[in-house]
Structures are given as C-alpha cells and as structure tokens.
Amino acid sequence: VNNGSTLAFGDVNAGLGAAQRTVLLRNTGTGDLDSLSVSLSGADAADFSVATFPPVLLAPGEESSFVIRFTPVAGKTSTATL
C-alpha cells in the first residue's frame, strides 16, 4: 500500500466474520527506519484492528509486514485512516 492508497476488504457480513489484509513495509532508503508503529483513526476505526505489528526497526533493504483486521458491526461502509 503506497501513501494515499486504499486497502479494500470487500464485502464482509456484519457480526458474522472478519477479513484480514497484509500490508508490506519495505525500507528502500539508506538509513534505519526506527520507532515504527501502526495506528488507526477515523469515525469507523473501531471496526478495524491491528492483528500483527511490524518490528520497531527496519534496516535498509529489509522488509516486513503487518496485518489489519476488519470486523464490521453494522451493515454499512466503514473507513479508517492507517
């Protein structure tokens, strides 16, 4: 997922299940990426959770991933900011 792009979860029945998406992080720079963290915000942020977290440090050339879980509680479109 590039900055400003969308991570779509498709149709998920409220109260009946969840969907997960894996987000890949890649350090293409020349220095360490440190103090990495993941947070969710927005009106529907409670419908989403971080299922797995990335490492705190990513050295140049390294990549890692984390998982976002979507568990809707109402029959509506949900959005949040990562």
Side-chain angles (χ1 to χ4, degrees):
V1 175
N2 293 317
N3 187 21
S5 63
T6 301
L7 184 64
F9 288 85
D11 293 333
V12 180
N13 291 328
L16 298 178
Q20 294 187 158
R21 296 291 179 266
T22 301
V23 178
L24 178 67
L25 296 174
R26 181 177 297 126
N27 184 353
T28 59
T30 58
D32 289 345
L33 293 176
D34 58 6
S35 302
L36 293 175
S37 66
V38 177
S39 63
L40 297 159
S41 63
D44 302 313
D47 290 352
F48 299 86
S49 61
V50 182
T52 63
F53 287 86
V56 175
L57 185 126
L58 208 56
E62 287 186 336
E63 61 182 41
S64 185
S65 62
F66 62 94
V67 175
I68 301 294
R69 181 177 291 129
F70 173 52
T71 310
V73 295
K76 64 178 180 68
T77 299
S78 297
T79 61
T81 301
L82 175 65

